[in-house]
Amino acid sequence: MVCSGCGASKVEYEDSKAAKKAMNNATNIFMESNIEEPNQKTDIKADGMVAGYMEESGIFNTKWTVSIDGETWFYVKFVTDEPINDVEGVISATTYGYYDSNDKCLGYAQQQVLDNGVYGREYYMLYLDADGNPKDYYSDEDGYYLYDYDGNVIGEGDVESSWFGNDYDITITMKEDSKVQVDFMDKVVMYIRICDDLYEKYSD
């Protein structure tokens, strides 16, 4: 297993299995960001308790590794040369792939043109399994709102800024009445998209 780096707080759950379950099922996921940092590093809190750690790396910040007490759970990277990038009939843009520590694909997130029946045809972020099949939810392209396919908001990304510097607290909160199971990997992409949006808005 690959160590994702130093600086992580000790996980507050009983073991890695409990931590993974917490991240997948938590009502609230909390992570931090600083748009001045070349690579993001943050503890991951699931319902207020430290469950893992994420570190950004690679040239031009192209890889995000999630670990639990120093052992890699999965990583996310940009994908440009896999079959998912060239699906007939699909208009797509930015694509992220999820992989375990043995580089086995676990799924994807991909910007696709979708008509959700409300706003017409726009780009949204679709979340897909390893075979490219869509899951039961999608988000706006910047990661702030998570929807089911009936158009209901089932989760939201919220940002709070510090009074000084460029530190931001990012919380992804699931609606209490939502019955949809959302994989933590997909919440990581919501975080990435929110960070990108913050950088574009405030880096000048």
Side-chain angles (χ1 to χ4, degrees):
M1 305 295 279
V2 181
C3 177
S4 67
C6 302
S9 299
K10 184 173 177 58
V11 167
E12 296 177 306
Y13 285 88
E14 181 180 0
D15 52 29
S16 62
K17 183 178 180 180
K20 292 175 183 177
K21 182 177 180 180
M23 284 186 271
N24 277 321
N25 294 284
T27 299
N28 295 290
I29 292 291
F30 173 89
M31 292 181 277
E32 297 174 318
S33 175
N34 185 312
I35 62 173
E36 290 186 337
E37 291 292 331
N39 295 111
Q40 301 298 319
K41 299 177 182 179
T42 177
D43 285 331
I44 301 162
K45 290 186 177 180
D47 288 335
M49 295 173 59
V50 176
Y53 180 72
M54 184 167 66
E55 182 172 3
E56 190 177 21
S57 62
I59 300 174
F60 305 119
N61 306 338
T62 55
K63 183 178 180 180
W64 298 263
T65 301
V66 174
S67 63
I68 300 172
D69 281 342
E71 294 188 348
T72 295
W73 178 14
F74 66 89
Y75 66 89
V76 180
K77 70 172 184 177
F78 286 114
V79 174
T80 59
D81 58 355
E82 295 188 16
I84 195 68
N85 298 109
D86 189 25
V87 177
E88 185 176 356
V90 175
I91 302 173
S92 63
T94 303
T95 305
Y96 304 89
Y98 312 146
Y99 305 85
D100 66 15
S101 58
N102 295 313
D103 302 321
K104 177 183 176 182
C105 181
L106 304 173
Y108 300 97
Q110 185 178 66
Q111 278 183 295
Q112 293 185 12
V113 172
L114 174 71
D115 187 343
N116 73 348
V118 179
Y119 303 110
R121 289 168 61 82
E122 294 185 359
Y123 272 108
Y124 293 91
M125 187 63 65
L126 271 65
Y127 300 98
L128 316 169
D129 65 21
D131 295 320
N133 301 306
K135 298 178 183 178
D136 295 332
Y137 49 86
Y138 63 97
S139 70
D140 66 296
E141 61 179 329
D142 290 328
Y144 289 97
Y145 295 97
L146 193 65
Y147 304 93
D148 63 22
Y149 276 90
D150 290 325
N152 301 306
V153 176
I154 61 171
E156 294 186 23
D158 180 67
V159 177
E160 291 188 8
S161 61
S162 64
W163 288 103
F164 304 101
N166 292 282
D167 294 316
Y168 296 89
D169 295 339
I170 298 173
T171 304
I172 298 171
T173 303
M174 299 301 299
K175 297 292 186 181
E176 291 184 3
D177 59 350
S178 173
K179 305 298 183 183
V180 180
Q181 170 65 47
V182 177
D183 293 333
F184 175 71
M185 294 182 292
D186 301 324
K187 295 175 184 177
V188 169
V189 170
M190 291 178 68
Y191 166 88
I192 293 168
R193 300 298 297 182
I194 291 171
C195 287
D196 287 348
D197 182 61
L198 291 173
Y199 183 81
E200 290 178 7
K201 286 180 178 177
Y202 303 117
S203 60
D204 293 339

